[in-house]
Coordinates of all heavy atoms in Angstrom, one line a residue:
M3 N -46.1 -216.4 77.2 CA -46.4 -217.2 78.3 C -45.2 -218.1 78.7 O -44.6 -218.8 77.8 CB -47.6 -218.1 77.9 CG -48.4 -218.6 79.1 SD -50.0 -219.3 78.5 CE -49.8 -221.0 79.1
P4 N -44.8 -218.1 79.9 CA -43.7 -218.9 80.3 C -43.9 -220.4 80.2 O -45.1 -220.9 80.5 CB -43.4 -218.5 81.8 CG -44.6 -217.9 82.3 CD -45.4 -217.4 81.1
R5 N -42.9 -221.1 79.8 CA -43.1 -222.6 79.7 C -42.9 -223.2 81.1 O -42.2 -222.7 81.9 CB -42.0 -223.2 78.8 CG -42.3 -223.0 77.3 CD -41.4 -224.0 76.5 NE -40.1 -224.2 77.1 CZ -39.0 -223.5 76.7 NH1 -39.2 -222.5 75.8 NH2 -37.9 -223.7 77.2
D6 N -43.6 -224.3 81.4 CA -43.3 -225.0 82.6 C -42.7 -226.4 82.4 O -42.6 -227.2 83.3 CB -44.6 -225.1 83.5 CG -45.7 -225.9 82.7 OD1 -45.4 -226.4 81.6 OD2 -46.8 -226.0 83.3
E7 N -42.4 -226.6 81.1 CA -41.8 -227.9 80.8 C -40.7 -227.7 79.7 O -40.8 -226.8 78.8 CB -42.9 -228.8 80.2 CG -42.4 -230.2 79.8 CD -43.6 -231.0 79.3 OE1 -44.4 -231.5 80.1 OE2 -43.7 -231.2 78.1
C8 N -39.6 -228.4 79.9 CA -38.5 -228.3 78.9 C -39.0 -228.6 77.5 O -39.8 -229.5 77.3 CB -37.5 -229.4 79.3 SG -36.1 -229.5 78.1
K9 N -38.5 -227.9 76.6 CA -39.0 -228.0 75.2 C -38.6 -229.4 74.6 O -39.2 -229.8 73.6 CB -38.4 -226.9 74.3 CG -36.9 -226.9 74.1 CD -36.5 -225.8 73.2 CE -35.0 -225.8 73.0 NZ -34.5 -224.7 72.2
W10 N -37.6 -230.0 75.2 CA -37.2 -231.3 74.7 C -38.0 -232.5 75.3 O -37.8 -233.7 74.9 CB -35.7 -231.6 75.0 CG -34.8 -230.6 74.3 CD1 -34.0 -229.7 75.0 CD2 -34.6 -230.3 72.9 NE1 -33.3 -228.9 74.1 CE2 -33.6 -229.3 72.8 CE3 -35.1 -230.9 71.8 CZ2 -33.2 -228.8 71.6 CZ3 -34.6 -230.4 70.6 CH2 -33.7 -229.4 70.5
F11 N -38.8 -232.2 76.3 CA -39.5 -233.3 77.0 C -40.2 -234.3 76.1 O -40.1 -235.5 76.4 CB -40.4 -232.7 78.1 CG -40.8 -233.8 79.1 CD1 -39.9 -234.5 79.9 CD2 -42.2 -234.1 79.3 CE1 -40.3 -235.4 80.8 CE2 -42.6 -235.1 80.2 CZ -41.6 -235.7 81.0
P12 N -41.0 -233.8 75.1 CA -41.7 -234.8 74.3 C -40.8 -235.9 73.7 O -41.3 -237.0 73.4 CB -42.4 -233.9 73.3 CG -42.5 -232.6 73.9 CD -41.3 -232.5 74.7
T13 N -39.6 -235.5 73.3 CA -38.7 -236.5 72.6 C -37.6 -237.0 73.5 O -36.8 -237.8 73.0 CB -38.2 -235.8 71.3 OG1 -37.5 -234.6 71.7 CG2 -39.3 -235.6 70.3
C14 N -37.5 -236.5 74.7 CA -36.3 -236.8 75.5 C -36.4 -238.3 76.0 O -37.5 -238.7 76.4 CB -36.2 -235.9 76.7 SG -34.7 -236.1 77.7
P15 N -35.3 -239.0 76.0 CA -35.3 -240.4 76.5 C -35.7 -240.4 78.0 O -36.2 -241.5 78.4 CB -33.9 -240.9 76.3 CG -33.1 -239.7 75.9 CD -34.0 -238.7 75.4
M16 N -35.5 -239.4 78.7 CA -35.9 -239.4 80.2 C -37.4 -239.6 80.3 O -37.9 -240.2 81.2 CB -35.5 -238.1 80.9 CG -34.0 -237.9 81.0 SD -33.1 -239.3 81.8 CE -32.0 -239.7 80.5
N17 N -38.1 -239.0 79.4 CA -39.6 -239.1 79.3 C -40.0 -240.6 79.0 O -40.8 -241.1 79.6 CB -40.1 -238.2 78.2 CG -41.6 -238.1 78.2 OD1 -42.3 -238.8 78.9 ND2 -42.2 -237.3 77.3
R18 N -39.2 -241.1 78.1 CA -39.5 -242.5 77.7 C -39.2 -243.5 78.9 O -40.0 -244.3 79.3 CB -38.6 -243.0 76.5 CG -38.9 -244.3 76.0 CD -38.2 -244.6 74.7 NE -36.8 -245.1 74.9 CZ -35.7 -244.4 74.5 NH1 -35.9 -243.3 73.8 NH2 -34.5 -244.8 74.7
Y19 N -38.1 -243.3 79.6 CA -37.8 -244.1 80.7 C -38.8 -243.9 81.8 O -39.1 -244.9 82.5 CB -36.4 -243.7 81.3 CG -35.2 -243.9 80.3 CD1 -34.1 -243.0 80.4 CD2 -35.2 -244.9 79.4 CE1 -33.1 -243.2 79.5 CE2 -34.2 -245.1 78.5 CZ -33.1 -244.2 78.5 OH -32.0 -244.3 77.7
L20 N -39.3 -242.7 82.0 CA -40.3 -242.4 83.0 C -41.5 -243.2 82.7 O -42.1 -243.9 83.6 CB -40.6 -240.9 83.1 CG -41.6 -240.5 84.1 CD1 -41.0 -240.6 85.5 CD2 -42.1 -239.1 83.9
R21 N -42.0 -243.2 81.5 CA -43.2 -243.9 81.1 C -43.0 -245.4 81.2 O -43.9 -246.2 81.4 CB -43.6 -243.5 79.7 CG -44.3 -242.1 79.7 CD -44.9 -241.7 78.3 NE -43.8 -241.2 77.4 CZ -43.4 -241.8 76.3 NH1 -43.9 -243.0 76.0 NH2 -42.5 -241.3 75.6
M22 N -41.8 -245.9 81.0 CA -41.5 -247.3 81.2 C -41.4 -247.7 82.7 O -41.3 -248.9 83.0 CB -40.1 -247.6 80.5 CG -40.2 -247.5 79.0 SD -38.5 -247.7 78.3 CE -38.1 -249.4 78.5
G23 N -41.4 -246.7 83.5 CA -41.3 -247.0 85.0 C -39.9 -247.4 85.4 O -39.8 -248.0 86.5
I24 N -38.9 -247.0 84.7 CA -37.5 -247.4 85.1 C -36.7 -246.1 85.5 O -35.4 -246.3 85.6 CB -36.8 -248.2 84.0 CG1 -36.8 -247.4 82.6 CG2 -37.5 -249.5 83.8 CD1 -36.0 -248.1 81.5
L25 N -37.3 -245.0 85.6 CA -36.6 -243.8 86.0 C -37.3 -243.2 87.2 O -38.5 -243.1 87.2 CB -36.5 -242.8 84.8 CG -35.8 -241.5 85.1 CD1 -34.3 -241.7 85.1 CD2 -36.2 -240.4 84.1
D26 N -36.5 -242.8 88.2 CA -37.0 -242.1 89.4 C -37.6 -240.8 88.9 O -37.0 -240.0 88.3 CB -35.9 -241.9 90.4 CG -36.4 -241.4 91.7 OD1 -37.4 -240.6 91.8 OD2 -35.8 -241.7 92.7
R27 N -38.9 -240.6 89.3 CA -39.6 -239.4 88.8 C -39.0 -238.1 89.3 O -39.2 -237.0 88.8 CB -41.1 -239.5 89.4 CG -42.0 -238.3 89.0 CD -43.4 -238.6 89.4 NE -44.0 -239.5 88.5 CZ -44.6 -239.2 87.3 NH1 -44.5 -238.0 86.9 NH2 -45.1 -240.1 86.6
R28 N -38.2 -238.2 90.4 CA -37.6 -237.0 90.9 C -36.7 -236.3 89.8 O -36.5 -235.1 89.9 CB -36.8 -237.3 92.2 CG -37.7 -237.4 93.4 CD -36.9 -237.8 94.6 NE -36.4 -239.2 94.5 CZ -35.8 -239.8 95.5 NH1 -35.7 -239.2 96.7 NH2 -35.4 -241.1 95.3
W29 N -36.1 -237.1 88.9 CA -35.3 -236.5 87.9 C -36.1 -235.6 87.0 O -35.7 -234.4 86.8 CB -34.7 -237.6 87.0 CG -33.6 -238.4 87.6 CD1 -33.6 -239.7 88.0 CD2 -32.2 -237.9 87.9 NE1 -32.4 -240.1 88.5 CE2 -31.6 -239.0 88.5 CE3 -31.6 -236.7 87.8 CZ2 -30.2 -238.9 88.9 CZ3 -30.3 -236.6 88.2 CH2 -29.6 -237.7 88.7
T30 N -37.2 -236.1 86.5 CA -38.0 -235.3 85.6 C -38.8 -234.2 86.3 O -39.0 -233.1 85.8 CB -39.0 -236.1 84.8 OG1 -39.8 -236.9 85.7 CG2 -38.2 -237.1 83.9
D31 N -39.2 -234.4 87.6 CA -39.9 -233.4 88.3 C -39.0 -232.2 88.5 O -39.5 -231.0 88.3 CB -40.3 -233.9 89.7 CG -41.6 -234.8 89.7 OD1 -42.2 -234.9 88.6 OD2 -41.9 -235.3 90.8
Y32 N -37.8 -232.4 88.8 CA -36.9 -231.3 89.1 C -36.4 -230.6 87.8 O -36.6 -229.4 87.6 CB -35.7 -231.7 89.9 CG -34.8 -230.5 90.2 CD1 -35.1 -229.6 91.2 CD2 -33.6 -230.3 89.5 CE1 -34.3 -228.5 91.5 CE2 -32.8 -229.2 89.7 CZ -33.2 -228.3 90.8 OH -32.4 -227.2 91.0
Y33 N -35.8 -231.4 86.9 CA -35.2 -230.9 85.7 C -36.2 -230.5 84.6 O -36.2 -229.4 84.1 CB -34.1 -231.8 85.2 CG -32.9 -231.9 86.0 CD1 -32.7 -232.9 87.0 CD2 -31.9 -230.9 85.9 CE1 -31.5 -232.9 87.8 CE2 -30.7 -231.0 86.6 CZ -30.6 -232.0 87.6 OH -29.4 -232.0 88.4
C34 N -37.0 -231.4 84.2 CA -37.8 -231.2 83.0 C -39.0 -230.3 83.3 O -39.5 -229.7 82.4 CB -38.3 -232.6 82.5 SG -37.1 -233.8 82.4
H35 N -39.3 -230.2 84.6 CA -40.5 -229.3 84.9 C -40.0 -228.1 85.8 O -40.5 -227.9 86.9 CB -41.6 -230.1 85.6 CG -42.1 -231.2 84.6 ND1 -41.8 -232.5 84.7 CD2 -43.0 -231.1 83.6 CE1 -42.4 -233.1 83.7 NE2 -43.1 -232.3 83.0
G36 N -39.1 -227.4 85.3 CA -38.7 -226.2 86.0 C -37.2 -225.8 85.9 O -36.9 -224.6 85.8
H37 N -36.3 -226.8 85.9 CA -34.9 -226.4 86.0 C -34.1 -227.0 84.9 O -33.0 -227.4 85.0 CB -34.3 -227.0 87.3 CG -35.0 -226.4 88.6 ND1 -36.1 -226.8 89.1 CD2 -34.6 -225.3 89.3 CE1 -36.5 -226.1 90.2 NE2 -35.5 -225.2 90.3
W38 N -34.7 -226.9 83.7 CA -34.0 -227.5 82.5 C -32.7 -226.7 82.2 O -31.8 -227.3 81.6 CB -34.9 -227.6 81.3 CG -35.6 -226.3 80.9 CD1 -35.1 -225.3 80.1 CD2 -36.9 -225.9 81.3 NE1 -36.0 -224.3 80.0 CE2 -37.1 -224.6 80.7 CE3 -37.9 -226.5 82.1 CZ2 -38.3 -223.9 80.9 CZ3 -39.1 -225.8 82.3 CH2 -39.3 -224.5 81.7
L39 N -32.6 -225.5 82.6 CA -31.3 -224.7 82.3 C -30.2 -225.3 83.1 O -29.0 -225.0 82.8 CB -31.5 -223.2 82.6 CG -32.5 -222.5 81.7 CD1 -32.6 -221.0 82.0 CD2 -32.1 -222.6 80.2
E40 N -30.5 -226.1 84.1 CA -29.4 -226.8 84.9 C -29.1 -228.2 84.3 O -28.2 -228.8 84.8 CB -29.8 -226.9 86.4 CG -30.1 -225.6 87.1 CD -30.6 -225.8 88.5 OE1 -30.5 -226.9 89.0 OE2 -31.3 -224.8 89.0
C41 N -29.9 -228.6 83.3 CA -29.7 -230.0 82.8 C -28.6 -230.1 81.8 O -28.5 -229.3 80.9 CB -31.0 -230.4 82.2 SG -31.0 -232.0 81.4
V42 N -27.7 -231.0 82.1 CA -26.6 -231.2 81.2 C -27.0 -231.7 79.8 O -26.5 -231.3 78.8 CB -25.6 -232.3 81.8 CG1 -24.5 -232.6 80.8 CG2 -25.0 -231.7 83.1
R43 N -28.1 -232.5 79.8 CA -28.6 -233.0 78.5 C -29.1 -231.8 77.7 O -28.9 -231.7 76.5 CB -29.8 -233.9 78.7 CG -29.4 -235.2 79.4 CD -30.6 -236.2 79.3 NE -30.9 -236.5 78.0 CZ -30.3 -237.5 77.2 NH1 -29.5 -238.3 77.8 NH2 -30.6 -237.7 76.0
Y44 N -29.9 -230.9 78.4 CA -30.4 -229.7 77.7 C -29.2 -228.9 77.1 O -29.3 -228.5 76.0 CB -31.2 -228.9 78.7 CG -31.8 -227.6 78.1 CD1 -33.1 -227.6 77.6 CD2 -31.1 -226.4 78.1 CE1 -33.7 -226.5 77.1 CE2 -31.6 -225.3 77.5 CZ -32.9 -225.3 77.1 OH -33.4 -224.1 76.5
D45 N -28.3 -228.7 77.9 CA -27.1 -227.9 77.5 C -26.4 -228.5 76.3 O -26.1 -227.7 75.3 CB -26.1 -227.8 78.7 CG -25.2 -226.7 78.6 OD1 -25.6 -225.6 78.2 OD2 -24.0 -226.9 78.9
M46 N -26.3 -229.8 76.3 CA -25.6 -230.4 75.2 C -26.5 -230.4 73.9 O -26.0 -230.2 72.8 CB -25.2 -231.8 75.5 CG -24.1 -231.8 76.6 SD -23.5 -233.5 77.1 CE -22.4 -233.8 75.7
E47 N -27.8 -230.5 74.1 CA -28.7 -230.4 73.0 C -28.6 -229.0 72.3 O -28.5 -228.9 71.1 CB -30.2 -230.6 73.4 CG -30.6 -232.0 73.7 CD -30.8 -232.9 72.5 OE1 -30.8 -232.3 71.3 OE2 -30.9 -234.1 72.6
E48 N -28.6 -228.0 73.2 CA -28.5 -226.7 72.7 C -27.2 -226.4 71.9 O -27.1 -225.7 70.9 CB -28.5 -225.7 73.8 CG -29.8 -225.6 74.5 CD -31.0 -225.1 73.6 OE1 -30.9 -223.9 73.3 OE2 -31.9 -225.8 73.3
R49 N -26.1 -227.1 72.3 CA -24.8 -226.9 71.6 C -24.6 -228.0 70.5 O -23.6 -228.0 69.9 CB -23.7 -227.0 72.7 CG -23.6 -225.8 73.5 CD -22.4 -225.8 74.4 NE -22.7 -226.5 75.7 CZ -21.8 -227.3 76.2 NH1 -20.7 -227.5 75.7 NH2 -22.2 -227.9 77.4
G50 N -25.6 -228.8 70.3 CA -25.5 -229.8 69.2 C -24.5 -230.9 69.5 O -23.9 -231.4 68.6
E51 N -24.2 -231.2 70.8 CA -23.2 -232.1 71.1 C -23.8 -233.5 71.4 O -24.9 -233.6 72.1 CB -22.4 -231.7 72.4 CG -21.6 -230.5 72.1 CD -20.9 -229.9 73.4 OE1 -21.0 -230.6 74.4 OE2 -20.3 -228.8 73.3
D52 N -23.3 -234.5 70.8 CA -23.8 -235.9 71.0 C -23.7 -236.3 72.5 O -22.7 -235.9 73.2 CB -22.9 -236.9 70.2 CG -23.3 -236.9 68.7 OD1 -24.4 -236.3 68.4 OD2 -22.5 -237.4 67.9
H53 N -24.7 -237.0 72.9 CA -24.7 -237.6 74.3 C -25.6 -238.8 74.3 O -26.6 -238.9 73.6 CB -25.2 -236.5 75.3 CG -26.4 -235.9 74.9 ND1 -26.5 -234.9 74.0 CD2 -27.7 -236.0 75.4 CE1 -27.7 -234.5 73.8 NE2 -28.5 -235.1 74.7
P54 N -25.2 -239.8 75.1 CA -26.0 -241.1 75.1 C -27.3 -240.9 75.8 O -27.5 -240.1 76.7 CB -25.1 -242.0 75.9 CG -24.2 -241.2 76.7 CD -24.0 -239.9 76.0
D55 N -28.3 -241.7 75.3 CA -29.6 -241.7 75.9 C -29.6 -241.9 77.4 O -30.5 -241.4 78.1 CB -30.5 -242.8 75.2 CG -31.1 -242.4 73.9 OD1 -30.7 -241.3 73.4 OD2 -31.8 -243.1 73.3
W56 N -28.7 -242.7 77.8 CA -28.7 -243.1 79.2 C -27.9 -242.1 80.1 O -27.6 -242.4 81.3 CB -28.2 -244.6 79.4 CG -26.8 -244.8 78.9 CD1 -25.7 -244.8 79.6 CD2 -26.4 -245.1 77.5 NE1 -24.6 -245.1 78.8 CE2 -25.0 -245.3 77.6 CE3 -27.1 -245.3 76.4 CZ2 -24.3 -245.6 76.4 CZ3 -26.4 -245.6 75.2 CH2 -25.0 -245.8 75.2
M57 N -27.6 -241.0 79.6 CA -27.0 -239.9 80.4 C -28.1 -239.2 81.2 O -29.0 -238.6 80.5 CB -26.2 -239.0 79.6 CG -25.3 -238.1 80.4 SD -24.4 -236.9 79.4 CE -25.7 -235.6 79.1
L58 N -28.0 -239.1 82.5 CA -29.0 -238.4 83.3 C -28.8 -236.9 83.3 O -27.8 -236.4 82.8 CB -28.8 -238.9 84.8 CG -29.2 -240.4 85.0 CD1 -28.7 -240.9 86.4 CD2 -30.7 -240.7 84.8
P59 N -29.8 -236.2 83.7 CA -29.8 -234.7 83.6 C -28.6 -234.1 84.3 O -28.1 -233.0 84.0 CB -31.1 -234.3 84.3 CG -32.0 -235.4 84.1 CD -31.2 -236.6 84.1
D60 N -28.0 -234.8 85.3 CA -26.8 -234.3 86.0 C -25.5 -234.6 85.3 O -24.4 -234.3 85.8 CB -26.8 -234.7 87.5 CG -26.5 -236.2 87.6 OD1 -26.4 -236.9 86.6 OD2 -26.3 -236.6 88.8
G61 N -25.6 -235.3 84.1 CA -24.4 -235.7 83.4 C -23.9 -237.0 83.7 O -23.0 -237.5 83.0
S62 N -24.4 -237.7 84.7 CA -23.9 -239.0 85.1 C -24.5 -240.1 84.1 O -25.6 -239.9 83.6 CB -24.1 -239.4 86.5 OG -25.5 -239.4 86.8
L63 N -23.8 -241.2 83.9 CA -24.3 -242.2 83.1 C -24.9 -243.3 83.9 O -24.3 -243.8 84.9 CB -23.2 -242.8 82.2 CG -22.5 -241.8 81.2 CD1 -21.4 -242.5 80.5 CD2 -23.6 -241.4 80.2
D64 N -26.1 -243.7 83.6 CA -26.8 -244.8 84.3 C -26.8 -246.0 83.4 O -27.6 -246.2 82.5 CB -28.3 -244.4 84.6 CG -29.0 -245.4 85.5 OD1 -28.5 -246.6 85.6 OD2 -30.0 -245.1 86.1
E65 N -25.9 -246.9 83.7 CA -25.8 -248.1 82.9 C -27.0 -249.0 82.9 O -27.2 -249.8 82.0 CB -24.5 -248.9 83.3 CG -23.2 -248.2 83.1 CD -22.9 -247.9 81.6 OE1 -23.4 -248.7 80.7 OE2 -22.3 -246.9 81.3
N66 N -27.8 -248.9 83.9 CA -29.1 -249.6 84.0 C -30.1 -249.2 82.9 O -31.0 -250.0 82.6 CB -29.8 -249.5 85.3 CG -28.9 -250.1 86.4 OD1 -28.3 -251.2 86.3 ND2 -28.8 -249.4 87.6
L67 N -29.9 -248.0 82.4 CA -30.8 -247.5 81.3 C -30.3 -247.8 79.9 O -31.0 -247.6 79.0 CB -31.0 -246.0 81.5 CG -31.6 -245.5 82.8 CD1 -31.6 -244.0 82.9 CD2 -33.1 -246.1 83.0
R68 N -29.0 -248.2 79.9 CA -28.4 -248.4 78.6 C -29.1 -249.4 77.7 O -29.5 -250.5 78.2 CB -27.0 -248.8 78.8 CG -26.1 -248.8 77.6 CD -24.7 -249.2 77.9 NE -23.8 -249.0 76.8 CZ -22.5 -248.6 76.8 NH1 -22.0 -248.5 78.0 NH2 -21.9 -248.4 75.8
G69 N -29.4 -249.0 76.5 CA -30.1 -249.9 75.6 C -31.6 -250.1 75.8 O -32.3 -250.9 75.2
K70 N -32.2 -249.3 76.8 CA -33.6 -249.5 77.1 C -34.4 -248.6 76.2 O -33.9 -247.6 75.7 CB -33.9 -249.1 78.6 CG -33.2 -250.1 79.5 CD -33.9 -251.4 79.6 CE -33.1 -252.4 80.4 NZ -32.9 -252.1 81.8
Ligands
SF4_124 S1 -33.8 -234.5 80.8 FE1 -33.1 -232.4 80.3 S2 -33.2 -232.2 78.1 FE2 -34.5 -233.9 78.7 S3 -36.5 -233.1 78.9 FE3 -35.5 -233.1 80.9 S4 -34.6 -231.1 81.2 FE4 -35.1 -231.4 79.0

């Protein structure tokens, strides 16, 4: 059965930020629910590369999320 959600979503900080109401839902709607293969976070997870929690799916850093 095909997945409709990224396998990292339950533990991804983007999920946490979404629930906190500090992340635009468009990020998770697009990446986490259909296009995770385009997500830089997903890619780095797969390769075991460190990346900060406040790095958005497109690879940009959102300093407003830092430490949240
Ligand atoms: S931000 Fe990327 S790694 Fe995290 S759940 Fe969404 S698609 Fe997966």
Side-chain angles (χ1 to χ4, degrees):
M3 203 166 119
R5 284 200 319 270
D6 60 2
E7 182 177 282
C8 174
K9 66 179 180 181
W10 300 115
F11 193 62
T13 55
C14 186
M16 296 304 121
N17 186 357
R18 186 172 82 243
Y19 299 147
L20 183 70
R21 285 186 278 110
M22 291 171 72
I24 57 175
L25 181 75
D26 190 325
R27 178 172 288 277
R28 281 176 292 187
W29 288 109
T30 54
D31 279 355
Y32 182 79
Y33 287 97
C34 313
H35 297 100
H37 297 85
W38 53 85
L39 293 180
E40 298 174 23
C41 175
V42 175
R43 298 191 60 87
Y44 180 94
D45 201 38
M46 294 182 81
E47 284 288 348
E48 292 295 291
R49 287 188 274 137
E51 293 175 6
D52 284 343
H53 49 285
D55 279 4
W56 59 97
M57 192 184 80
L58 294 168
D60 70 353
S62 63
L63 295 175
D64 186 343
E65 294 298 328
N66 294 319
L67 298 174
R68 190 175 192 151
K70 299 283 173 60

